[in-house]
Amino acid sequence: MTLMELWFTEEHTKNVRFSIKVDKQLVSRQGDFQRIDVFETKEFGKVLTLDGFLMVTEKDEFIYHEMITHVPMAVNPDIKKVLVIGAGDGGTIRELTRYEKVERIDMVEIDREVVAVCKEYLPQTACKLEDERVHIHYEDGLKFVRKPVNEYDLIIVDSTDPFGPGEGLFTKEFYGNCFKALTERGILINQHESPYYENDLKAMQRAHKHIKSAFPISTVYQMHIPTYPSGHWLFGFASKGLSPTKDLNAEKWNGLGLKTKYYNTNLHLGAFALPNYVMELLEESSL
Amino acid sequence: MTLMELWFTEEHTKNVRFSIKVDKQLVSRQGDFQRIDVFETKEFGKVLTLDGFLMVTEKDEFIYHEMITHVPMAVNPDIKKVLVIGAGDGGTIRELTRYEKVERIDMVEIDREVVAVCKEYLPQTACKLEDERVHIHYEDGLKFVRKPVNEYDLIIVDSTDPFGPGEGLFTKEFYGNCFKALTERGILINQHESPYYENDLKAMQRAHKHIKSAFPISTVYQMHIPTYPSGHWLFGFASKGLSPTKDLNAEKWNGLGLKTKYYNTNLHLGAFALPNYVMELLEESSL
Amino acid sequence: MTLMELWFTEEHTKNVRFSIKVDKQLVSRQGDFQRIDVFETKEFGKVLTLDGFLMVTEKDEFIYHEMITHVPMAVNPDIKKVLVIGAGDGGTIRELTRYEKVERIDMVEIDREVVAVCKEYLPQTACKLEDERVHIHYEDGLKFVRKPVNEYDLIIVDSTDPFGPGEGLFTKEFYGNCFKALTERGILINQHESPYYENDLKAMQRAHKHIKSAFPISTVYQMHIPTYPSGHWLFGFASKGLSPTKDLNAEKWNGLGLKTKYYNTNLHLGAFALPNYVMELLEESSL
Amino acid sequence: MTLMELWFTEEHTKNVRFSIKVDKQLVSRQGDFQRIDVFETKEFGKVLTLDGFLMVTEKDEFIYHEMITHVPMAVNPDIKKVLVIGAGDGGTIRELTRYEKVERIDMVEIDREVVAVCKEYLPQTACKLEDERVHIHYEDGLKFVRKPVNEYDLIIVDSTDPFGPGEGLFTKEFYGNCFKALTERGILINQHESPYYENDLKAMQRAHKHIKSAFPISTVYQMHIPTYPSGHWLFGFASKGLSPTKDLNAEKWNGLGLKTKYYNTNLHLGAFALPNYVMELLEESSL
């Protein structure tokens, strides 16, 4: 006999539902920007959702957070100053703080409430938000990025989906400002949605089009995130000159001795080898 | 107003459900070995299920069928004789018949009814089952493979999951017979489940252990199949000597001019670059 | 292991879902007026849905069809001529044909396809549609009822819900025409929705208001139909003079010796004893 | 855009699911006897579940609680001493305390935690648990009822379903002790499950058989509870001599001027008029 049938469902499309059995709802808060929930689940451990969209699960967040940080850090292990936009759960910060050479991380998160909830309920990701190199700015990332010039070696746009609070982060103006804010060897990494379901692939194409118009080098890499729609997820890699593959400094990165669960330097190269249909979608978006 | 709420649900685990909205059930037949259903859906086109497990969708079958065939064919473009076990939907056959050099394909499918249903309802995959090089044997693959010696250049085990009719295809004895049936440059490709959910990863480990004990070279490669549990799917590549990466004959394969939607020779290499946690699971299974 | 998870779901409200496990979809047809489906289910036997709304199940259709016919027939066992509007499944006709005194039944069903499907897949209800006293008119009931004057002893409005094809059957003009078409001892019975969920209770109030303005006697009676939203279902009883309770001719009806599974003459009286909140909703609607 | 798809589902049978959209889980507690949850929902207000079974909703609890109390109180308005078994939510107590003549109510609830949760989250039902006539005993009702002899004018068994903590309350021994504990004009009311789904109707038959063997007068009455399986719910009425219909003291009860939302003295009589199939199930159970 089942003791409780309580299910969180995300509609991946109007015709596809992904449902997770919930043991218990740990918190539900209506913030100024979005509704924030944390669930306890058997399959995925704690699960964070924003406005009903799954953001982070304890079971597979390592994939997202390793891939969004170690890929640029292995291309340029000398990165010192990082700007992270979004990322209220802290997972990206956790991975970045593992690099001793990183001197300062500016984290710009619009929703103070998300950080508060994650500190309380998701220590697995939020554990390094108190690191002294981390400076949290509770502001709109869109505005924040207008000011700095030639300042950051790395910008990570760890945003929610391109509707709701994260909407502006997928525009041309925004990516232009990112370019300006980056140093000569600067890298921009962004959450890039997925190539599979209609709405996701349109967001992917839109983002790619805008980044490509702002950066000389712009590509995407892929990974498996089972709890995201289709499980086929992309991040964008853009730069003023560094190539994500040719400039990979595998030896140096491996010399750091960082233990990872998903990322390695072979997989780094493999992740940039995209299926034909994804390459075609990206090309199409640039027309 | 929604005209019909009819949903097919697959339980990826007891705590995870994946649901597809169904327009119409096209056929439902209880065969001698399994229940066979085909659904019409908005998101995925026609969907074939066996005993309630999703096997093939028109939207993403190309990923499965390209990856199960072109990977070995690009390592050894001179393959002439192929044994395919399972594969009643015909998708694997469709891809194999694109190679002119392939002279004979023995397809061993235990369930005659699956082939009949696919011919009628899934011409997209079943379109080449009448090719004159294809010889269909309605037999148990487990038994069929006991006889041939040094006969096939390629064996593809395109099986269902390791319970029900496909169960025996995941045993040590079976893989030993495959080895014997292969020629000197022979390759074995097998459906290898997934590393993410508990039951799938155990099946993956079991299969890997048995293949490794029979073949000197044995590894796995990964792809994104959004409609399979977790979307992170693996195939096994085993051989008597050929390496899936070092022996990749990219130039020759690209010279064939085959148009593909997922596969390409860069992705071929990338697919063998596995995440750390998958490599650890595989190593663990060999202990 | 479950062999197939295929579920039909009806949204009783945006926040309430009722789901039935389906063994097999027997037919799905898009008619001129609505989509028609029949499902095979373990719990309810065959289930008929129109535009995704559950209409009839083999398990509990007897409740609906006994209550829509025997209540008026027990008040006036001399009924000879009956007009039935809707009722394409045939269940109401089946019950009416049990009365030898009934001489003629005009059945007006707008959708020829529904009758065809029910004859093929639902013989349990459609079994008496060939009775020689039954005359089927494939017309709009709304128009049909404009012509007859002082002709029918009983009109049964066995309609679908008040949206889609059944919409016009819930209007004032329609009920006025019904009054005109009835004889002096005429009775109008109508499907009257439910008092529980918001949308249903508004339809109930609207229908009651319109019938009350056309008939001197107008009340409702209740029953338990587990597969309808809330399970609390109502029919309307209106007449030119006959009281549904004081004029109940229990002795005569019981003398007919009809075997029923739900209806009896005690329950007849009990069905008109409504909960306070239902009476208040009805009164409110007349204001 | 939907902000949160969180659904509580009760399996009415293996083939029927009833699902309620949840805004928020207010509390989830594992007590000594059962898991206790309260949900906030749009459709039903607050919903209490025990071990995943829906017990009380703010929207329709009035039906249950009015019918379990006013039926016996209208048959014998002179009831002074009442034993209530179960009823931790307090709804039955709330209705009983409306009678000035009632002098003492012994409430025996095995699970102290249920009472605590309801006091905090369900004041709508728990509001009268502090009435000075109410004496709460946190004990097993099965044991409690062994002691009293000729003491109570009314026993109400407001139990959960006949599995889990409520199991013993459906046995022969238990009903025999109830008989002994009642005064000459004593009445026993019990939650009697439903006649519709297989498991419920078997519980109904079992309970009826046991009560009938202990009491000279034993019958059941029905009501509409939309959130319970099938919506067709039964309570048992047993007594040492009083008839639930012939002894109804409608005049006296109506003289009390109690305002009710479901119950009235006409409906009281109507509720005992059962469908044929329910009467047959009850007769069958006595064989």
Side-chain angles (χ1 to χ4, degrees), chain A residues 254-272:
Chain A
N254 286 312
L256 293 173
L258 296 175
K259 193 169 160 36
T260 47
K261 285 191 276 182
Y262 190 84
Y263 180 82
N264 58 58
T265 48
N266 281 335
L267 180 137
H268 178 123
L269 293 172
F272 286 90

Side-chain angles (χ1 to χ4, degrees), chain B residues 15-266:
Chain B
N15 301 304
V16 180
R17 290 179 184 156
F18 181 69
S19 304
I20 299 175
K21 194 168 179 186
V22 168
D23 273 352
K24 200 169 169 170
Q25 188 179 34
L26 298 177
V27 66
S28 179
R29 225 174 271 177
Q30 184 58 52
D32 290 339
F33 297 96
Q34 52 207 337
R35 175 174 168 169
I36 307 160
D37 293 84
V38 179
F39 299 104
E40 183 63 51
T41 76
K42 276 224 174 33
E43 191 65 46
F44 302 106
K46 288 180 199 149
V47 173
L48 169 73
T49 68
L50 298 180
D51 280 351
F53 292 97
L54 188 152
M55 292 292 131
V56 168
T57 85
E58 286 189 329
K59 180 168 178 170
D60 66 9
E61 58 84 11
F62 72 95
I63 303 169
Y64 185 100
H65 293 123
E66 291 188 5
M67 290 300 277
I68 210 165
T69 53
H70 303 312
V71 167
M73 294 305 294
V75 170
N76 179 10
D78 294 322
I79 282 170
K80 286 191 180 54
K81 202 165 173 195
V82 185
L83 171 61
V84 178
I85 294 174
D89 58 77
T92 297
I93 301 299
R94 181 193 62 204
E95 293 301 310
L96 286 172
T97 57
R98 301 175 72 188
Y99 292 89
E100 286 180 16
K101 282 207 174 165
V102 167
E103 293 169 1
R104 180 186 176 99
I105 303 167
D106 284 310
M107 169 178 152
V108 183
E109 164 62 61
I110 202 168
D111 194 341
R112 186 183 293 269
E113 206 62 36
V114 169
V115 176
V117 165
C118 291
K119 278 187 176 172
E120 189 173 350
Y121 293 97
L122 281 170
Q124 180 177 311
T125 53
C127 52
K128 293 293 181 187
L129 288 172
E130 309 290 345
D131 187 289
E132 56 180 11
R133 291 169 293 170
V134 177
H135 302 262
I136 308 185
H137 309 260
Y138 293 111
E139 291 179 40
D140 184 350
L142 193 60
K143 287 183 190 160
F144 186 94
V145 86
R146 284 179 190 149
K147 291 162 286 174
V149 178
N150 192 29
E151 194 172 334
Y152 295 103
D153 304 311
L154 170 61
I155 298 178
I156 295 178
V157 187
D158 180 359
S159 65
T160 58
D161 300 306
F163 25 82
E167 208 161 351
L169 302 182
F170 283 73
T171 62
K172 200 169 173 177
E173 187 232 343
F174 172 72
Y175 294 119
N177 285 329
C178 288
F179 184 86
K180 179 186 54 58
L182 284 167
T183 57
E184 207 49 45
R185 288 171 54 82
I187 298 171
L188 171 75
I189 301 292
N190 70 301
Q191 198 275 91
H192 213 304
E193 302 288 309
S194 163
Y196 193 70
Y197 294 122
E198 190 68 9
N199 283 342
D200 300 330
L201 79 83
K202 282 187 176 156
M204 172 195 85
Q205 290 185 311
R206 233 171 8 242
H208 188 62
K209 185 178 176 182
H210 294 153
I211 297 173
K212 203 159 185 176
S213 73
F215 283 84
I217 288 185
S218 164
T219 184
V220 309
Y221 58 106
Q222 64 185 3
M223 71 220 74
H224 287 91
I225 304 186
T227 54
Y228 279 13
S230 87
H232 192 173
W233 216 253
L234 304 176
F235 289 155
F237 180 106
S239 77
K240 295 191 172 180
L242 289 174
S243 157
T245 49
K246 285 178 210 140
D247 291 313
L248 167 63
N249 202 331
E251 204 177 350
K252 197 162 182 183
W253 191 86
N254 286 312
L256 294 173
L258 297 175
K259 192 167 161 38
T260 48
K261 285 191 277 181
Y262 190 83
Y263 180 81
N264 58 59
T265 49
N266 280 335

Side-chain angles (χ1 to χ4, degrees), chain A residues 1-11 14 22-30 35 37 39 49-53 163-164, chain D residues 1-11 14 22-30 35 37 39 49-53 163-164:
Chain A
M1 187 176 48
T2 312
L3 283 187
M4 175 54 70
E5 290 285 338
L6 182 64
W7 292 79
F8 163 76
T9 292
E10 186 171 321
E11 294 193 346
K14 277 291 146 210
V22 168
D23 273 354
K24 200 171 170 170
Q25 188 178 34
L26 297 176
V27 66
S28 178
R29 224 173 270 178
Q30 184 59 52
R35 175 173 168 169
D37 293 84
F39 300 104
T49 68
L50 298 180
D51 280 350
F53 292 98
F163 25 81
Chain D
M1 188 176 50
T2 313
L3 283 186
M4 176 52 70
E5 292 284 336
L6 183 64
W7 292 80
F8 164 77
T9 292
E10 186 171 324
E11 295 194 344
K14 277 290 146 210
V22 168
D23 273 353
K24 201 172 169 169
Q25 188 178 35
L26 298 176
V27 66
S28 178
R29 224 172 269 178
Q30 185 59 52
R35 175 173 168 169
D37 293 85
F39 300 104
T49 68
L50 298 179
D51 280 351
F53 293 97
F163 25 82

Side-chain angles (χ1 to χ4, degrees), chain C residues 56-68:
Chain C
V56 167
T57 85
E58 286 189 330
K59 180 168 178 171
D60 66 8
E61 58 84 11
F62 72 94
I63 302 169
Y64 185 99
H65 293 123
E66 291 187 4
M67 290 300 278
I68 210 166

Side-chain angles (χ1 to χ4, degrees), chain B residues 5 9 23 25 35 51, chain C residues 3 5 9 23 25 35 51:
Chain B
E5 291 284 338
T9 292
D23 273 352
Q25 188 179 34
R35 175 174 168 169
D51 280 351
Chain C
L3 283 187
E5 291 284 337
T9 292
D23 272 353
Q25 188 178 34
R35 175 174 166 168
D51 279 351

